Amino acid sequence: MNAEQSRIAVVTGAGSGIGRAVAVELLRAGWSVALAGRRAGTLEETAALVPEGASLVVATDVARSEDVAGLFAATVGRFGRVDLLFNNAGTFGPGGVPVEELPYDAWRHVVDTNLNGAFLCAQAAFRQMKEQAPQGGRIINNGSISAHAPRPHSVAYTATKHALTGLTKSLSLDGRPYSIAVGQIDIGNAATDMTRRMETGALQANGVVAPEPVMDVADVARTVRHMAELPLAANVQFATVLATSMPYVGRG
């Protein structure tokens, strides 16, 4: 990103967890940030963490195409362009449910949020970044360690995170002619409400329930900011950021 270029970000899932941490990191670094999420109240709480920041709250269900269109229209209407999409909104779905017992509605909800929502936001970002002047921008998809290796009883979440890797690669290729850089960050055990159970005990592949180390979510946010602030001629295609001692590499 050129120093003279405006820095406008859209962060989905900005009302909590990783999305909130990334939004706060960007706002404190001087970015203007559109905060997207289903609940306006939690988005307002995120904005209040950096009261001097230039933020815009847009209640958005990323699985609804009309909501996504409204999000990008509101962002461009307020800030004039979009330089970054952090495609972060997601859900794990019902935890601990064996595949043969997973309700189809639950499967559809995870797919609609994690995959279809990511596609709709990326598509809207592409349209804007292709047409704006100067042309281009960056998309960072929030994958997961589950984009590489599943947890037990996580079929919907794992399938969507594997699909996000394909989405990232395809978008990265299609974005080349328009100076749109696309990368993915795969995160393992950042300390958020979603991962709180990891510290008390998580089901392992061998059937044992064991506590797992976590890391500060602020470390994830700094990594996203580094990826975001590279010039568009450079791209972190895939980054893996994880708690150092979590059971992922080798046999744990």
Side-chain angles (χ1 to χ4, degrees):
M1 185 179 300
N2 296 328
E4 68 273 12
Q5 186 174 321
S6 299
R7 300 193 300 181
I8 313 300
V10 174
V11 176
T12 66
S16 63
I18 292 168
R20 172 174 284 180
V22 168
V24 166
E25 178 73 19
L26 294 174
L27 285 166
R28 287 175 176 165
W31 287 69
S32 300
V33 182
L35 307 170
R38 292 183 180 180
R39 298 182 299 278
T42 59
L43 299 175
E44 296 284 2
E45 291 171 4
T46 299
L49 294 173
V50 192
E52 71 279 11
S55 59
L56 171 68
V57 168
V58 186
T60 307
D61 180 347
V62 296
R64 295 170 56 88
S65 60
E66 58 270 34
D67 280 20
V68 173
L71 165 64
F72 280 82
T75 302
V76 175
R78 169 75 178 273
F79 298 121
R81 59 181 289 116
V82 176
D83 298 304
L84 171 69
L85 164 65
F86 182 45
N87 230 346
N88 167 73
T91 181
F92 192 82
V97 179
V99 61
E100 69 273 16
E101 298 176 13
L102 183 69
Y104 181 62
D105 286 349
W107 165 273
R108 282 293 305 269
H109 175 65
V110 176
V111 172
D112 283 344
T113 303
N114 295 5
L115 180 57
N116 295 341
F119 163 74
L120 288 171
C121 289
Q123 184 182 57
F126 250 70
R127 288 170 174 162
Q128 175 59 32
M129 292 171 178
K130 181 179 176 182
E131 298 302 323
Q132 64 194 10
Q135 189 182 63
R138 189 179 306 275
I139 298 170
I140 300 173
N141 293 324
N142 185 355
S144 171
I145 294 297
S146 293
H148 306 273
R151 288 186 177 279
H153 303 160
S154 66
V155 64
Y157 184 79
T158 297
T160 57
K161 293 304 185 178
H162 274 71
L164 270 180
T165 299
L167 182 69
T168 297
K169 291 179 178 179
S170 188
L171 293 173
S172 185
L173 180 61
D174 292 346
R176 286 179 183 176
Y178 312 112
S179 297
I180 300 173
V182 185
Q184 179 170 316
I185 183 167
D186 296 327
I187 301 162
N189 288 14
T192 66
D193 289 342
M194 188 175 177
T195 61
R196 186 164 293 163
R197 62 187 177 84
M198 304 297 179
E199 296 181 80
T200 56
L203 181 62
Q204 305 298 308
N206 64 0
V208 171
V209 175
E212 295 185 12
V214 297
M215 63 177 169
D216 193 329
V217 70
D219 294 324
V220 174
R222 283 192 289 272
T223 304
V224 173
R225 179 184 163 195
H226 168 71
M227 295 168 71
E229 293 185 344
L230 288 170
L232 291 178
N235 186 40
V236 175
Q237 186 72 76
F238 292 98
T240 303
V241 183
L242 71 164
T244 304
S245 300
M246 71 174 287
Y248 168 62
V249 177
R251 297 179 183 269

